[in-house]
């Protein structure tokens, strides 16, 4: 009987530990999207934005151009963004939203903490 109790407790512990915190999922998604941006994968970065309706190709191309310009600006002002790091994340599971706090480390050795709002749709976290 005691052995059965230990097995049951082990199973409960494994199930509890295997659930990933929604805030952690949102944080890793936000970091991945910004890593795409830093790697020059502008289309992938734009795909990470929540757009419930389809958008015209010309508008999508404008978003890609804006992302490219943002990286160019960061290179001019700070010698580029060298790293993104997750600092914190808070999720509202009822509203399927989260606020992720990332730190950008720049090439000029400065850093900046930014708030990245996220939204979950169909189990996927998107930039809001």
């Amino acid at each position: 009987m005691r052995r059965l109790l230990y097995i049951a407790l082990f199973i409960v512990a494994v199930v509890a530990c295997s659930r990933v915190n929604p805030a952690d999922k949102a944080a890793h998604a936000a970091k991945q999207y910004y890593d795409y941006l830093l790697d020059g994968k502008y289309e992938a970065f734009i795909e990470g934005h929540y757009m419930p309706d389809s958008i015209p190709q010309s508008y999508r191309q404008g978003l890609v151009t804006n992302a490219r310009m943002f990286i160019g600006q960061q290179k001019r002002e700070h010698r580029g963004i060298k790293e993104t790091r997750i600092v914190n994340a808070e999720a509202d599971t009822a509203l399927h939203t989260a606020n992720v706090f990332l730190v950008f480390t720049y090439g000029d050795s400065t850093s900046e903490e930014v708030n990245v709002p996220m939204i979950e749709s169909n189990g996927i976290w998107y930039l809001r």
Side-chain angles (χ1 to χ4, degrees), residues 93-107:
T93 55
L95 295 175
H96 300 279
T97 61
N99 284 307
V100 176
F101 300 91
L102 298 177
V103 168
F104 293 163
T105 303
Y106 296 102

Side-chain angles (χ1 to χ4, degrees), residues 1 44 46 54-55 63 71 74 83 113:
M1 187 58 122
I46 298 305
S54 62
I55 60 173
L63 294 174
I71 290 299
Q74 298 310 309
E83 177 189 26
E113 184 173 321

Side-chain angles (χ1 to χ4, degrees), residues 6-115:
Y6 287 132
I7 292 172
L9 286 174
F10 176 75
I11 291 172
V12 168
V14 167
V15 169
C17 290
S18 66
R19 284 194 210 147
V20 178
N21 181 349
D24 289 340
K25 282 185 178 181
H28 289 290
K31 182 178 180 341
Q32 182 62 59
Y33 295 137
Y34 275 93
D35 286 346
Y36 286 151
L37 182 65
L38 298 182
D39 291 340
K41 299 176 181 174
Y42 305 114
E43 290 82 8
F45 175 72
I46 298 305
E47 288 297 319
H49 286 75
Y50 180 68
M51 293 181 234
D53 297 323
S54 62
I55 60 173
Q57 186 61 28
S58 60
Y59 182 67
R60 181 178 302 280
Q61 196 55 44
L63 294 174
V64 169
T65 300
N66 285 344
R68 198 174 272 126
M69 288 175 21
F70 172 75
I71 290 299
Q73 176 188 15
Q74 298 310 309
K75 285 181 180 175
R76 283 190 309 279
E77 293 179 4
H78 299 287
R79 288 188 271 171
I81 301 172
K82 299 303 176 192
E83 177 189 26
T84 59
R85 188 169 33 94
I86 300 168
V87 176
N88 192 17
E90 301 164 351
D92 184 333
T93 55
L95 295 175
H96 300 279
T97 61
N99 284 307
V100 176
F101 300 91
L102 298 177
V103 168
F104 293 163
T105 303
Y106 296 102
D108 62 3
S109 74
T110 60
S111 61
E112 176 181 20
E113 184 173 321
V114 295
N115 176 22

